[in-house]
Amino acid sequence: EIVLTQSPGTLSLSPGERATLSCRASQSVSSSYLAWYQQKPGQAPRLLIYGASSRATGIPDRFSGSGSGTDFTLTISRLEPEDFAVYYCQQYGSSPRTWTFGQGTKVEIK
Amino acid sequence: EVQLVESGGVVVQPGGSLRLSCAASGFTFDDYTMHWVRQAPGKGLEWVSLISWDGGSTYYADSVKGRFTISRDNSKNSLYLQMNSLRTEDTALYYCAKGADIVVVVAALDYWGQGTLVTVSS
């Protein structure tokens, strides 16, 4: 089973700053089947990025994903007040067929 | 507009059983793989299970394999999760989620319900 490790656990930044979140896999993720989700308190997760670098429908272009193999990154170019939340990476469909999440990175206001 | 509405969450004793439901609307239900994902209070997300668009393929997390059964009724646009032999560690908010791509199993999850709370406690 692929284990995803996200770092840092918490990121303290100010609005307007750049956020860089890391997701490392214990083994290679098939065909970049890696997604990123945002979750705000009391809300369901929202898909941001799929296929490691493709933005989901309606996601602002300040969100970008990159990486392949075992190392992936979510970048928020300029933090808006609504971006402070918890972010999860997820790999989907690797053999055996499992969908696993990282433990999450909290982006908080400094 | 895609809508996913979960129901069935209650307080149940350890060893008990429960069936969760998810009512789907706003998309062609029988074209998409569906998932259950859970989140224990104050914790992260844990994928639980999926079922392919036609019900022909199902997969489970090791933590629930042999105890939980996922199913769907495409005539009713509904997804289900039968949960048996419940443990205290199954306490969580259970989300229903839709696969992002048509008639494929491997895809991200593009729409989520608001969840239904299952509490396993004596």
Side-chain angles (χ1 to χ4, degrees):
Chain A
E1 176 182 325
I2 295 179
V3 176
L4 300 178
T5 302
Q6 292 186 239
S7 62
T10 301
L11 199 50
S12 299
L13 296 168
S14 301
E17 290 194 294
R18 181 185 188 90
T20 303
L21 288 66
S22 173
C23 177
R24 179 161 292 177
S26 59
Q27 54 188 285
S28 185
V29 175
S30 302
S31 303
S32 294
Y33 287 148
L34 192 287
W36 290 92
Y37 300 84
Q38 176 193 67
Q39 187 178 34
K40 298 178 182 179
Q43 296 186 17
R46 176 174 71 145
L47 176 65
L48 299 175
I49 301 288
Y50 64 94
S53 60
S54 298
R55 272 188 300 276
T57 302
I59 302 303
D61 61 6
R62 64 180 181 274
F63 291 92
S64 63
S66 62
S68 64
T70 61
D71 288 297
F72 298 87
T73 300
L74 174 70
T75 301
I76 311 171
S77 58
R78 294 171 312 280
L79 282 164
E80 297 288 341
E82 62 267 28
D83 298 336
F84 292 92
V86 179
Y87 292 84
Y88 295 94
C89 60
Q90 180 205 32
Q91 68 82 22
Y92 47 99
S94 295
S95 180
R97 296 292 197 187
T98 57
W99 276 243
T100 52
F101 290 91
Q103 82 278 19
T105 290
K106 182 179 182 181
V107 179
E108 66 176 22
I109 299 176
K110 186 174 181 181
Chain B
E1 178 193 5
V2 172
Q3 285 200 317
L4 299 169
V5 180
E6 303 92 337
S7 61
V10 292
V11 179
V12 61
Q13 291 190 336
S17 296
L18 198 57
R19 189 197 200 202
L20 304 183
S21 299
C22 172
S25 61
F27 64 102
T28 305
F29 183 70
D30 55 10
D31 276 347
Y32 292 90
T33 292
M34 297 295 295
H35 298 249
W36 288 100
V37 177
R38 69 185 181 183
Q39 187 168 34
K43 303 297 184 182
L45 301 171
E46 179 186 15
W47 175 79
V48 172
S49 181
L50 75 83
I51 185 166
S52 60
W53 62 97
D54 60 356
S57 296
T58 58
Y59 298 98
Y60 299 91
D62 287 344
S63 58
V64 306
K65 202 172 295 181
R67 300 187 300 122
F68 290 11
T69 302
I70 192 171
S71 62
R72 65 191 296 160
D73 185 338
N74 286 346
S75 68
K76 295 182 178 179
N77 287 356
S78 293
L79 174 72
Y80 306 102
L81 185 68
Q82 178 66 43
M83 309 165 67
N84 298 332
S85 302
L86 283 161
R87 306 166 179 168
T88 55
E89 56 264 37
D90 295 320
T91 294
L93 187 64
Y94 283 74
Y95 292 104
C96 159
K98 170 187 166 289
D101 295 328
I102 193 169
V103 295
V104 298
V105 170
V106 179
L109 310 181
D110 62 350
Y111 287 94
W112 299 59
Q114 288 303 305
T116 187
L117 182 63
V118 173
T119 303
V120 184
S121 173
S122 54

PDB file of all heavy atoms in Angstrom, chain B residues 3 9 14 18-20 23 26 32 35 38-39 41 59 64-65 69 76 80 90-91 100 105 107 109 111 113 115:
ATOM      1  N   GLN B   3     -25.805  16.852  -6.633  1.00  0.00           N
ATOM      2  CA  GLN B   3     -26.091  16.780  -5.193  1.00  0.00           C
ATOM      3  C   GLN B   3     -25.915  15.357  -4.710  1.00  0.00           C
ATOM      4  O   GLN B   3     -26.368  14.413  -5.363  1.00  0.00           O
ATOM      5  CB  GLN B   3     -27.506  17.267  -4.904  1.00  0.00           C
ATOM      6  CG  GLN B   3     -27.682  18.770  -4.983  1.00  0.00           C
ATOM      7  CD  GLN B   3     -28.927  19.247  -4.247  1.00  0.00           C
ATOM      8  OE1 GLN B   3     -29.982  18.625  -4.354  1.00  0.00           O
ATOM      9  NE2 GLN B   3     -28.817  20.340  -3.518  1.00  0.00           N
ATOM     10  N   GLY B   9     -26.740   7.761   9.499  1.00  0.00           N
ATOM     11  CA  GLY B   9     -25.803   7.799  10.609  1.00  0.00           C
ATOM     12  C   GLY B   9     -26.537   7.926  11.941  1.00  0.00           C
ATOM     13  O   GLY B   9     -27.451   8.728  12.084  1.00  0.00           O
ATOM     14  N   PRO B  14     -20.895  -1.129  19.892  1.00  0.00           N
ATOM     15  CA  PRO B  14     -19.861  -1.979  19.280  1.00  0.00           C
ATOM     16  C   PRO B  14     -20.419  -3.358  18.952  1.00  0.00           C
ATOM     17  O   PRO B  14     -21.187  -3.941  19.740  1.00  0.00           O
ATOM     18  CB  PRO B  14     -18.783  -2.054  20.358  1.00  0.00           C
ATOM     19  CG  PRO B  14     -18.956  -0.796  21.140  1.00  0.00           C
ATOM     20  CD  PRO B  14     -20.434  -0.537  21.155  1.00  0.00           C
ATOM     21  N   LEU B  18     -25.179  -1.259  10.669  1.00  0.00           N
ATOM     22  CA  LEU B  18     -25.777  -0.014  10.211  1.00  0.00           C
ATOM     23  C   LEU B  18     -25.701   0.030   8.697  1.00  0.00           C
ATOM     24  O   LEU B  18     -24.763  -0.505   8.105  1.00  0.00           O
ATOM     25  CB  LEU B  18     -24.978   1.155  10.796  1.00  0.00           C
ATOM     26  CG  LEU B  18     -25.583   2.545  10.839  1.00  0.00           C
ATOM     27  CD1 LEU B  18     -26.895   2.521  11.595  1.00  0.00           C
ATOM     28  CD2 LEU B  18     -24.603   3.489  11.535  1.00  0.00           C
ATOM     29  N   ARG B  19     -26.682   0.653   8.074  1.00  0.00           N
ATOM     30  CA  ARG B  19     -26.651   0.840   6.630  1.00  0.00           C
ATOM     31  C   ARG B  19     -26.753   2.319   6.316  1.00  0.00           C
ATOM     32  O   ARG B  19     -27.722   2.969   6.686  1.00  0.00           O
ATOM     33  CB  ARG B  19     -27.801   0.103   5.958  1.00  0.00           C
ATOM     34  CG  ARG B  19     -27.707   0.071   4.440  1.00  0.00           C
ATOM     35  CD  ARG B  19     -29.031  -0.292   3.829  1.00  0.00           C
ATOM     36  NE  ARG B  19     -28.901  -0.775   2.458  1.00  0.00           N
ATOM     37  CZ  ARG B  19     -29.908  -0.752   1.576  1.00  0.00           C
ATOM     38  NH1 ARG B  19     -31.094  -0.283   1.922  1.00  0.00           N
ATOM     39  NH2 ARG B  19     -29.716  -1.226   0.356  1.00  0.00           N
ATOM     40  N   LEU B  20     -25.737   2.830   5.643  1.00  0.00           N
ATOM     41  CA  LEU B  20     -25.753   4.214   5.183  1.00  0.00           C
ATOM     42  C   LEU B  20     -26.281   4.277   3.757  1.00  0.00           C
ATOM     43  O   LEU B  20     -26.082   3.343   2.971  1.00  0.00           O
ATOM     44  CB  LEU B  20     -24.346   4.808   5.226  1.00  0.00           C
ATOM     45  CG  LEU B  20     -23.611   4.766   6.571  1.00  0.00           C
ATOM     46  CD1 LEU B  20     -22.266   5.463   6.441  1.00  0.00           C
ATOM     47  CD2 LEU B  20     -24.454   5.349   7.678  1.00  0.00           C
ATOM     48  N   ALA B  23     -28.146   9.565  -1.597  1.00  0.00           N
ATOM     49  CA  ALA B  23     -29.034   9.862  -2.722  1.00  0.00           C
ATOM     50  C   ALA B  23     -28.348  10.847  -3.649  1.00  0.00           C
ATOM     51  O   ALA B  23     -27.909  11.917  -3.210  1.00  0.00           O
ATOM     52  CB  ALA B  23     -30.342  10.434  -2.206  1.00  0.00           C
ATOM     53  N   GLY B  26     -28.550  15.212 -10.269  1.00  0.00           N
ATOM     54  CA  GLY B  26     -27.835  16.223 -11.035  1.00  0.00           C
ATOM     55  C   GLY B  26     -26.808  15.684 -12.006  1.00  0.00           C
ATOM     56  O   GLY B  26     -26.099  16.456 -12.651  1.00  0.00           O
ATOM     57  N   TYR B  32     -20.967   6.683 -13.376  1.00  0.00           N
ATOM     58  CA  TYR B  32     -19.846   7.071 -12.527  1.00  0.00           C
ATOM     59  C   TYR B  32     -19.586   6.112 -11.380  1.00  0.00           C
ATOM     60  O   TYR B  32     -20.519   5.630 -10.712  1.00  0.00           O
ATOM     61  CB  TYR B  32     -20.067   8.467 -11.953  1.00  0.00           C
ATOM     62  CG  TYR B  32     -20.013   9.543 -13.013  1.00  0.00           C
ATOM     63  CD1 TYR B  32     -21.163   9.931 -13.682  1.00  0.00           C
ATOM     64  CD2 TYR B  32     -18.793  10.128 -13.366  1.00  0.00           C
ATOM     65  CE1 TYR B  32     -21.104  10.895 -14.680  1.00  0.00           C
ATOM     66  CE2 TYR B  32     -18.737  11.095 -14.352  1.00  0.00           C
ATOM     67  CZ  TYR B  32     -19.897  11.470 -15.007  1.00  0.00           C
ATOM     68  OH  TYR B  32     -19.843  12.418 -15.989  1.00  0.00           O
ATOM     69  N   HIS B  35     -17.818   6.467  -4.266  1.00  0.00           N
ATOM     70  CA  HIS B  35     -16.930   6.157  -3.148  1.00  0.00           C
ATOM     71  C   HIS B  35     -17.578   6.506  -1.813  1.00  0.00           C
ATOM     72  O   HIS B  35     -18.439   7.386  -1.736  1.00  0.00           O
ATOM     73  CB  HIS B  35     -15.642   6.975  -3.235  1.00  0.00           C
ATOM     74  CG  HIS B  35     -14.806   6.735  -4.441  1.00  0.00           C
ATOM     75  ND1 HIS B  35     -13.573   6.096  -4.377  1.00  0.00           N
ATOM     76  CD2 HIS B  35     -14.992   7.037  -5.738  1.00  0.00           C
ATOM     77  CE1 HIS B  35     -13.054   6.040  -5.583  1.00  0.00           C
ATOM     78  NE2 HIS B  35     -13.893   6.599  -6.437  1.00  0.00           N
ATOM     79  N   ARG B  38     -14.319   8.446   4.935  1.00  0.00           N
ATOM     80  CA  ARG B  38     -14.699   8.824   6.294  1.00  0.00           C
ATOM     81  C   ARG B  38     -13.662   9.719   6.951  1.00  0.00           C
ATOM     82  O   ARG B  38     -12.509   9.776   6.514  1.00  0.00           O
ATOM     83  CB  ARG B  38     -14.952   7.583   7.140  1.00  0.00           C
ATOM     84  CG  ARG B  38     -13.725   6.753   7.464  1.00  0.00           C
ATOM     85  CD  ARG B  38     -14.144   5.482   8.207  1.00  0.00           C
ATOM     86  NE  ARG B  38     -12.988   4.651   8.567  1.00  0.00           N
ATOM     87  CZ  ARG B  38     -13.095   3.474   9.173  1.00  0.00           C
ATOM     88  NH1 ARG B  38     -14.286   2.975   9.493  1.00  0.00           N
ATOM     89  NH2 ARG B  38     -12.001   2.785   9.461  1.00  0.00           N
ATOM     90  N   GLN B  39     -14.109  10.401   7.993  1.00  0.00           N
ATOM     91  CA  GLN B  39     -13.235  11.316   8.728  1.00  0.00           C
ATOM     92  C   GLN B  39     -13.595  11.240  10.204  1.00  0.00           C
ATOM     93  O   GLN B  39     -14.676  11.679  10.611  1.00  0.00           O
ATOM     94  CB  GLN B  39     -13.393  12.736   8.210  1.00  0.00           C
ATOM     95  CG  GLN B  39     -12.415  13.729   8.785  1.00  0.00           C
ATOM     96  CD  GLN B  39     -12.431  15.047   8.031  1.00  0.00           C
ATOM     97  OE1 GLN B  39     -13.456  15.505   7.541  1.00  0.00           O
ATOM     98  NE2 GLN B  39     -11.260  15.676   7.914  1.00  0.00           N
ATOM     99  N   PRO B  41     -13.501  12.255  14.119  1.00  0.00           N
ATOM    100  CA  PRO B  41     -13.532  13.612  14.693  1.00  0.00           C
ATOM    101  C   PRO B  41     -12.138  14.189  14.887  1.00  0.00           C
ATOM    102  O   PRO B  41     -11.282  13.573  15.542  1.00  0.00           O
ATOM    103  CB  PRO B  41     -14.244  13.390  16.033  1.00  0.00           C
ATOM    104  CG  PRO B  41     -15.100  12.198  15.817  1.00  0.00           C
ATOM    105  CD  PRO B  41     -14.322  11.302  14.904  1.00  0.00           C
ATOM    106  N   TYR B  59     -13.925  -2.225  -4.222  1.00  0.00           N
ATOM    107  CA  TYR B  59     -12.647  -2.249  -3.515  1.00  0.00           C
ATOM    108  C   TYR B  59     -12.875  -1.673  -2.121  1.00  0.00           C
ATOM    109  O   TYR B  59     -13.742  -0.815  -1.927  1.00  0.00           O
ATOM    110  CB  TYR B  59     -11.585  -1.431  -4.256  1.00  0.00           C
ATOM    111  CG  TYR B  59     -11.262  -1.958  -5.625  1.00  0.00           C
ATOM    112  CD1 TYR B  59     -11.849  -1.405  -6.763  1.00  0.00           C
ATOM    113  CD2 TYR B  59     -10.377  -3.013  -5.792  1.00  0.00           C
ATOM    114  CE1 TYR B  59     -11.559  -1.894  -8.021  1.00  0.00           C
ATOM    115  CE2 TYR B  59     -10.084  -3.508  -7.052  1.00  0.00           C
ATOM    116  CZ  TYR B  59     -10.682  -2.937  -8.157  1.00  0.00           C
ATOM    117  OH  TYR B  59     -10.399  -3.422  -9.406  1.00  0.00           O
ATOM    118  N   VAL B  64     -11.623  -2.030   6.725  1.00  0.00           N
ATOM    119  CA  VAL B  64     -13.049  -2.374   6.723  1.00  0.00           C
ATOM    120  C   VAL B  64     -13.343  -3.648   5.937  1.00  0.00           C
ATOM    121  O   VAL B  64     -14.486  -4.123   5.930  1.00  0.00           O
ATOM    122  CB  VAL B  64     -13.902  -1.216   6.161  1.00  0.00           C
ATOM    123  CG1 VAL B  64     -13.612   0.074   6.910  1.00  0.00           C
ATOM    124  CG2 VAL B  64     -13.701  -1.049   4.663  1.00  0.00           C
ATOM    125  N   LYS B  65     -12.339  -4.199   5.295  1.00  0.00           N
ATOM    126  CA  LYS B  65     -12.550  -5.382   4.450  1.00  0.00           C
ATOM    127  C   LYS B  65     -13.124  -6.529   5.266  1.00  0.00           C
ATOM    128  O   LYS B  65     -12.652  -6.810   6.376  1.00  0.00           O
ATOM    129  CB  LYS B  65     -11.220  -5.782   3.821  1.00  0.00           C
ATOM    130  CG  LYS B  65     -11.336  -6.618   2.570  1.00  0.00           C
ATOM    131  CD  LYS B  65      -9.966  -6.801   1.902  1.00  0.00           C
ATOM    132  CE  LYS B  65      -9.394  -5.514   1.385  1.00  0.00           C
ATOM    133  NZ  LYS B  65      -8.086  -5.680   0.706  1.00  0.00           N
ATOM    134  N   THR B  69     -19.822  -3.584   3.274  1.00  0.00           N
ATOM    135  CA  THR B  69     -20.175  -3.938   1.898  1.00  0.00           C
ATOM    136  C   THR B  69     -20.783  -2.727   1.206  1.00  0.00           C
ATOM    137  O   THR B  69     -21.757  -2.150   1.706  1.00  0.00           O
ATOM    138  CB  THR B  69     -21.181  -5.099   1.864  1.00  0.00           C
ATOM    139  OG1 THR B  69     -20.620  -6.232   2.529  1.00  0.00           O
ATOM    140  CG2 THR B  69     -21.516  -5.470   0.422  1.00  0.00           C
ATOM    141  N   LYS B  76     -32.482   3.701  -8.628  1.00  0.00           N
ATOM    142  CA  LYS B  76     -32.890   4.662  -7.587  1.00  0.00           C
ATOM    143  C   LYS B  76     -31.848   5.758  -7.377  1.00  0.00           C
ATOM    144  O   LYS B  76     -31.987   6.571  -6.452  1.00  0.00           O
ATOM    145  CB  LYS B  76     -33.124   3.926  -6.262  1.00  0.00           C
ATOM    146  CG  LYS B  76     -34.284   2.948  -6.294  1.00  0.00           C
ATOM    147  CD  LYS B  76     -34.490   2.292  -4.933  1.00  0.00           C
ATOM    148  CE  LYS B  76     -35.688   1.342  -4.968  1.00  0.00           C
ATOM    149  NZ  LYS B  76     -35.887   0.673  -3.650  1.00  0.00           N
ATOM    150  N   TYR B  80     -25.012   2.745  -1.263  1.00  0.00           N
ATOM    151  CA  TYR B  80     -25.197   2.235   0.089  1.00  0.00           C
ATOM    152  C   TYR B  80     -23.877   1.748   0.672  1.00  0.00           C
ATOM    153  O   TYR B  80     -22.947   1.405  -0.050  1.00  0.00           O
ATOM    154  CB  TYR B  80     -26.195   1.077   0.099  1.00  0.00           C
ATOM    155  CG  TYR B  80     -27.510   1.403  -0.544  1.00  0.00           C
ATOM    156  CD1 TYR B  80     -27.796   0.959  -1.838  1.00  0.00           C
ATOM    157  CD2 TYR B  80     -28.471   2.160   0.123  1.00  0.00           C
ATOM    158  CE1 TYR B  80     -28.999   1.268  -2.446  1.00  0.00           C
ATOM    159  CE2 TYR B  80     -29.680   2.480  -0.481  1.00  0.00           C
ATOM    160  CZ  TYR B  80     -29.934   2.034  -1.765  1.00  0.00           C
ATOM    161  OH  TYR B  80     -31.122   2.346  -2.363  1.00  0.00           O
ATOM    162  N   ASP B  90     -14.541   2.952  14.166  1.00  0.00           N
ATOM    163  CA  ASP B  90     -15.328   3.284  12.974  1.00  0.00           C
ATOM    164  C   ASP B  90     -16.108   4.583  13.156  1.00  0.00           C
ATOM    165  O   ASP B  90     -16.743   5.054  12.206  1.00  0.00           O
ATOM    166  CB  ASP B  90     -16.314   2.158  12.646  1.00  0.00           C
ATOM    167  CG  ASP B  90     -15.621   0.868  12.254  1.00  0.00           C
ATOM    168  OD1 ASP B  90     -14.605   0.929  11.519  1.00  0.00           O
ATOM    169  OD2 ASP B  90     -16.087  -0.213  12.684  1.00  0.00           O
ATOM    170  N   THR B  91     -16.052   5.154  14.351  1.00  0.00           N
ATOM    171  CA  THR B  91     -16.719   6.425  14.596  1.00  0.00           C
ATOM    172  C   THR B  91     -16.148   7.501  13.680  1.00  0.00           C
ATOM    173  O   THR B  91     -14.940   7.758  13.687  1.00  0.00           O
ATOM    174  CB  THR B  91     -16.555   6.851  16.061  1.00  0.00           C
ATOM    175  OG1 THR B  91     -17.254   5.930  16.899  1.00  0.00           O
ATOM    176  CG2 THR B  91     -17.082   8.264  16.286  1.00  0.00           C
ATOM    177  N   ALA B 100     -14.598  11.341 -10.784  1.00  0.00           N
ATOM    178  CA  ALA B 100     -14.596  12.498 -11.683  1.00  0.00           C
ATOM    179  C   ALA B 100     -14.781  12.133 -13.149  1.00  0.00           C
ATOM    180  O   ALA B 100     -15.217  12.978 -13.937  1.00  0.00           O
ATOM    181  CB  ALA B 100     -13.302  13.286 -11.514  1.00  0.00           C
ATOM    182  N   VAL B 105     -12.831   3.472 -13.385  1.00  0.00           N
ATOM    183  CA  VAL B 105     -12.704   3.280 -11.942  1.00  0.00           C
ATOM    184  C   VAL B 105     -11.689   4.268 -11.363  1.00  0.00           C
ATOM    185  O   VAL B 105     -11.913   4.874 -10.315  1.00  0.00           O
ATOM    186  CB  VAL B 105     -12.277   1.833 -11.630  1.00  0.00           C
ATOM    187  CG1 VAL B 105     -11.900   1.688 -10.160  1.00  0.00           C
ATOM    188  CG2 VAL B 105     -13.395   0.872 -11.984  1.00  0.00           C
ATOM    189  N   ALA B 107     -10.064   7.475 -10.852  1.00  0.00           N
ATOM    190  CA  ALA B 107     -10.317   8.909 -11.028  1.00  0.00           C
ATOM    191  C   ALA B 107     -10.319   9.565  -9.656  1.00  0.00           C
ATOM    192  O   ALA B 107     -10.532   8.911  -8.633  1.00  0.00           O
ATOM    193  CB  ALA B 107     -11.648   9.146 -11.728  1.00  0.00           C
ATOM    194  N   LEU B 109     -11.972  12.432  -6.928  1.00  0.00           N
ATOM    195  CA  LEU B 109     -13.333  12.563  -6.417  1.00  0.00           C
ATOM    196  C   LEU B 109     -13.765  14.008  -6.556  1.00  0.00           C
ATOM    197  O   LEU B 109     -13.250  14.888  -5.852  1.00  0.00           O
ATOM    198  CB  LEU B 109     -13.379  12.130  -4.944  1.00  0.00           C
ATOM    199  CG  LEU B 109     -12.743  10.777  -4.643  1.00  0.00           C
ATOM    200  CD1 LEU B 109     -12.861  10.423  -3.179  1.00  0.00           C
ATOM    201  CD2 LEU B 109     -13.361   9.692  -5.510  1.00  0.00           C
ATOM    202  N   TYR B 111     -17.075  15.490  -6.536  1.00  0.00           N
ATOM    203  CA  TYR B 111     -18.186  16.023  -5.759  1.00  0.00           C
ATOM    204  C   TYR B 111     -18.358  15.174  -4.508  1.00  0.00           C
ATOM    205  O   TYR B 111     -18.239  13.949  -4.559  1.00  0.00           O
ATOM    206  CB  TYR B 111     -19.490  16.045  -6.558  1.00  0.00           C
ATOM    207  CG  TYR B 111     -19.518  17.120  -7.610  1.00  0.00           C
ATOM    208  CD1 TYR B 111     -19.133  16.843  -8.919  1.00  0.00           C
ATOM    209  CD2 TYR B 111     -19.916  18.407  -7.302  1.00  0.00           C
ATOM    210  CE1 TYR B 111     -19.147  17.828  -9.890  1.00  0.00           C
ATOM    211  CE2 TYR B 111     -19.943  19.411  -8.270  1.00  0.00           C
ATOM    212  CZ  TYR B 111     -19.546  19.111  -9.558  1.00  0.00           C
ATOM    213  OH  TYR B 111     -19.572  20.089 -10.513  1.00  0.00           O
ATOM    214  N   GLY B 113     -20.723  14.745  -0.717  1.00  0.00           N
ATOM    215  CA  GLY B 113     -21.849  15.136   0.107  1.00  0.00           C
ATOM    216  C   GLY B 113     -21.367  15.832   1.374  1.00  0.00           C
ATOM    217  O   GLY B 113     -20.164  16.061   1.548  1.00  0.00           O
ATOM    218  N   GLY B 115     -21.941  14.568   4.397  1.00  0.00           N
ATOM    219  CA  GLY B 115     -21.577  13.538   5.368  1.00  0.00           C
ATOM    220  C   GLY B 115     -22.703  13.183   6.329  1.00  0.00           C
ATOM    221  O   GLY B 115     -23.622  13.958   6.564  1.00  0.00           O
TER     222      GLY B 115
END
